[in-house]
């Protein structure tokens, strides 16, 4: 493994480009910040993540149904949900460099020497903000040639800066104070216009989350299906946020994909128990697609930071190379959303309780996760560089993506040992065609067999099947099965191969 986390990110970005997982969007025009394209392997990997989630969340459960709502919804949806007024991040401008920062990701500290403030230092969010600020403070002390003991820095973010401090805090872009503005609320929704007129009456928004679709269609689903509480509505789809600082590759982008589910429960149900069950379900699901426990943790939002209607939010965090960050948020939202839409639309969003003969508005638990963030997590957890012996016993480097068979973009590669032996090629093609009906398979007859294994290792293919002389010359019709992680080889029949896939790819 590369020693430094920064190198690991670099290695992943480079592999992603080189092997066709992820490209910058519109690259021939210089790219567009915060947007990405998914190449052949990336598109397949994303699809596998979506398919696993949909199968486990919707198809294999009796209490959850699927939905696909439109990306552009009536603008009143976003007024009722609170997004028009409140879906904002605090923005700080640097008037000199024209750079923009998220105030809660820009940190500063007064530099105190011998009990006196000699100036301020600032740093952008990193793995070790305190150390970055301390180093900057030492530099400032040296530059100003002030004698005395430097106090340990006390960092705050820009949302906590007092008005009189703002002109004294240096901009990270210029290193000089005086150019940063006070934080102001910046709405992250992308606006567009619907129809030929482009005036205030035609303003609409690209959805910043898929969740509102489930709330707005709640009555439709209740009236047209046979769902009974508790039940969920799940959706996968694109969301758009005009993030102030898109960064960390596909971790925070402006166009991304969400997999969200609204689980409706009775107003008197034990929401805390249900919340905990969903957190555990999400953790187990992440493990099932290959994320190791060692990289997962929980973060419970402190009560004072919750929205007034929220009963509790727990994030499942993942240890990315750039720090421990939110992967999946599981929120207990009470009945806020349905109530807001009932009030704004004038259409009650209630269910009838047969036992009490009373109507009530269901409460909801919402697990919300980003497909792109999961994809980055599996790439980070699966990437490895190893020294391995080649066929002649010489040590060579191999790059391997240890992706779970569930999500690997290619499940099996079919490799005829040589490409000019008709019988070998015929058997390989026959197997390839059979496998293709059910699985994503690769056929590769180009180059030395060792090279072909390496190519598949980099793509995360769990198994290679080599059709060799033993296949055609000896009884049993067996192939060489080569495993990606152990690099071990054994002989396997076609029936056994299909059984292995059936068991591991679900
Ligand atoms: P963050 O605090 O990181 O901005 P959030 O709390 O605003 O995220 P939610 O609104 O809870 O995120 O969205 C649910 C999920 O959608 C997140 O857990 C994340 O996986 C994904 N997500 C949110 N914003 C982005 C983005 N800009 N790029 C990629 N994925 C995102």
């Amino acid at each position: 493994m590369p020693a430094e986390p920064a190198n690991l990110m670099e290695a992943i970005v480079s592999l992603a480009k080189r092997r066709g997982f992820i490209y910058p969007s519109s690259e021939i025009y210089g790219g567009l910040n915060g947007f990405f394209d998914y190449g052949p392997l990336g598109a397949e990997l994303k699809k596998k993540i979506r398919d696993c989630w949909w199968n486990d969340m919707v198809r294999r459960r009796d209490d959850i149904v699927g939905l696909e709502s439109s990306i552009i919804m009536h603008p009143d949806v976003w007024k009722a949900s609170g997004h028009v007024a409140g879906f904002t991040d605090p923005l700080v401008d640097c008037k000199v460099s024209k750079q923009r920062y998220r105030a809660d990701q820009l940190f500063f500290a007064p530099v105190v020497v011998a009990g006196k403030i000699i100036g301020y230092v600032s740093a952008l969010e990193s793995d070790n903000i305190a150390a970055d600020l301390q180093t900057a403070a030492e530099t400032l002390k040296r530059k100003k040639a002030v004698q005395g003991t430097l106090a340990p820095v006390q960092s705050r973010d820009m949302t906590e800066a007092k008005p009189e401090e703002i002109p004294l805090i240096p901009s990270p872009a210029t290193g000089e104070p005086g150019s940063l503005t006070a934080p102001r609320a910046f709405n992250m929704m992308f606006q567009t216009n619907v129809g030929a007129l482009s005036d205030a009456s035609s303003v609409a928004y690209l959805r910043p989350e898929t969740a509102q679709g489930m709330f707005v269609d709640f009555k439709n689903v209740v009236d047209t299906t046979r769902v009974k509480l508790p039940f969920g509505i799940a959706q996968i789809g694109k969301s758009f946020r005009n993030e102030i600082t898109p960064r960390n590759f596909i971790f925070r982008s402006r166009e991304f994909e969400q997999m969200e589910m609204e689980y409706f429960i009775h107003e008197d149900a034990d929401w805390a128990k249900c919340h905990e069950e969903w957190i555990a379900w999400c953790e187990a699901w992440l493990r099932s697609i290959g994320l190791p426990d060692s990289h997962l943790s929980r973060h419970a939002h402190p009560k004072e930071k919750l929205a007034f209607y929220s009963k509790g939010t727990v994030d499942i965090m993942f240890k990315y190379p750039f720090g421990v960050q939110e992967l999946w948020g599981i929120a207990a939202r009470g009945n806020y959303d349905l109530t807001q839409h009932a009030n704004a639309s004038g259409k009650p969003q209630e269910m009838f309780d047969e036992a009490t003969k009373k109507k009530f508005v269901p409460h909801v638990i919402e697990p919300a996760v980003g497909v792109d963030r999961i994809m980055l997590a599996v790439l980070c957890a699966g990437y490895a560089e190893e020294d391995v012996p080649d066929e002649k016993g010489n040590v060579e480097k191999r790059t391997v993506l240890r992706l779970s068979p569930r999500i690997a973009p290619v499940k099996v590669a079919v490799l005829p040992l040589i490409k000019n032996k008709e019988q070998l090629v015929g058997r390989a093609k026959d197997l390839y065609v059979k496998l293709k009906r059910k699985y994503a398979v690769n056929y590769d007859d180009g180059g030395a067999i060792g090279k072909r294994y390496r190519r598949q290792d980099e793509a995360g293919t769990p198994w290679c099947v080599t059709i060799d002389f033993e296949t055609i010359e000896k009884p049993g019709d067996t192939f060489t099965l080569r495993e990606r992680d152990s690099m071990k080889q054994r002989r396997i029949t076609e029936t056994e191969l299909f059984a292995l896939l059936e068991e591991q790819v679900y």
Side-chain angles (χ1 to χ4, degrees), residues 241 243 251-253 256 258 326-329 368-370 373:
R241 296 183 188 179
E243 297 277 359
F251 176 82
R252 184 179 301 288
S253 50
F256 56 99
Q258 289 186 307
E326 171 182 339
L327 175 59
W328 202 329
V369 69
R373 275 192 197 179

Side-chain angles (χ1 to χ4, degrees), residues 163-325:
E164 62 274 19
E165 286 180 309
I166 287 169
L168 307 174
I169 299 168
S171 157
T174 62
E176 297 297 326
S179 64
L180 292 179
T181 64
R184 65 188 166 85
F186 170 78
N187 195 303
M188 289 194 288
M189 280 200 293
F190 280 101
Q191 265 194 32
T192 186
N193 294 87
V194 173
L197 276 181
S198 142
D199 60 14
S201 71
S202 67
V203 166
Y205 305 95
L206 302 193
R207 67 178 174 203
E209 60 173 38
T210 62
Q212 293 307 317
M214 278 80 98
F215 296 123
V216 170
D217 273 327
F218 170 76
K219 263 291 177 190
N220 274 337
V221 172
V222 169
D223 294 344
T224 57
T225 68
R226 300 181 60 213
V227 289
K228 293 229 157 35
L229 285 182
F231 73 90
I233 311 178
Q235 165 157 231
I236 300 178
K238 288 261 178 148
S239 293
F240 303 82
R241 296 183 188 179
N242 198 1
E243 297 277 359
I244 297 168
T245 47
R247 61 197 181 132
N248 292 329
F249 202 28
I250 55 170
F251 176 82
R252 184 179 301 288
S253 50
R254 288 175 166 143
E255 173 177 338
F256 56 99
E257 207 165 354
Q258 289 186 307
M259 305 194 287
E260 298 194 286
M261 195 274 295
E262 305 300 328
Y263 200 70
F264 297 99
I265 55 177
H266 195 284
E267 59 177 349
D268 299 329
D270 184 348
W271 70 266
K273 181 164 169 267
C274 185
H275 191 215
E276 173 54 40
E277 281 166 5
W278 274 110
I279 301 165
W281 188 96
C282 296
E283 287 170 331
W285 189 82
L286 290 172
R287 285 194 292 268
S288 85
I289 58 156
L291 291 183
D293 252 340
S294 57
H295 285 51
L296 300 173
S297 55
R298 287 185 184 190
H299 167 71
H301 288 216
K303 282 238 154 32
E304 63 277 13
K305 291 215 169 162
L306 292 176
F308 70 91
Y309 54 80
S310 175
K311 290 170 178 275
T313 295
V314 170
D315 292 336
I316 299 176
M317 313 293 283
F318 182 79
K319 197 164 77 179
Y320 289 97
F322 43 83
V324 174
Q325 298 278 347

Side-chain angles (χ1 to χ4, degrees), residues 287-414:
R287 285 194 292 268
S288 85
I289 58 156
L291 291 183
D293 252 340
S294 57
H295 285 51
L296 300 173
S297 55
R298 287 185 184 190
H299 167 71
H301 288 216
K303 282 238 154 32
E304 63 277 13
K305 291 215 169 162
L306 292 176
F308 70 91
Y309 54 80
S310 175
K311 290 170 178 275
T313 295
V314 170
D315 292 336
I316 299 176
M317 313 293 283
F318 182 79
K319 197 164 77 179
Y320 289 97
F322 43 83
V324 174
Q325 298 278 347
E326 171 182 339
L327 175 59
W328 202 329
I330 300 107
R333 299 180 59 86
N335 61 7
Y336 175 77
D337 304 271
L338 287 182
T339 305
Q340 287 292 104
H341 288 303
N343 292 342
S345 67
K347 313 265 174 5
Q349 303 293 314
E350 298 164 326
M351 291 189 84
F352 184 70
D353 187 335
E354 294 289 347
T356 61
K357 306 288 177 214
K358 277 199 330 215
K359 286 183 178 168
F360 66 96
V361 182
H363 286 223
V364 77
I365 307 288
E366 176 192 86
V369 69
V371 182
D372 317 76
R373 275 192 197 179
I374 293 179
M375 175 159 167
L376 185 57
V378 297
L379 291 176
C380 292
Y383 184 95
E385 285 174 10
E386 299 172 341
D387 288 330
V388 294
D390 69 6
E391 289 133 55
K392 295 191 188 101
N394 301 321
V395 173
E396 62 165 15
K397 265 218 165 356
R398 82 156 179 160
T399 301
V400 56
L401 266 187
R402 297 183 195 279
L403 300 177
S404 149
R406 290 197 79 193
I407 55 164
V410 178
K411 309 299 179 197
V412 194
V414 177

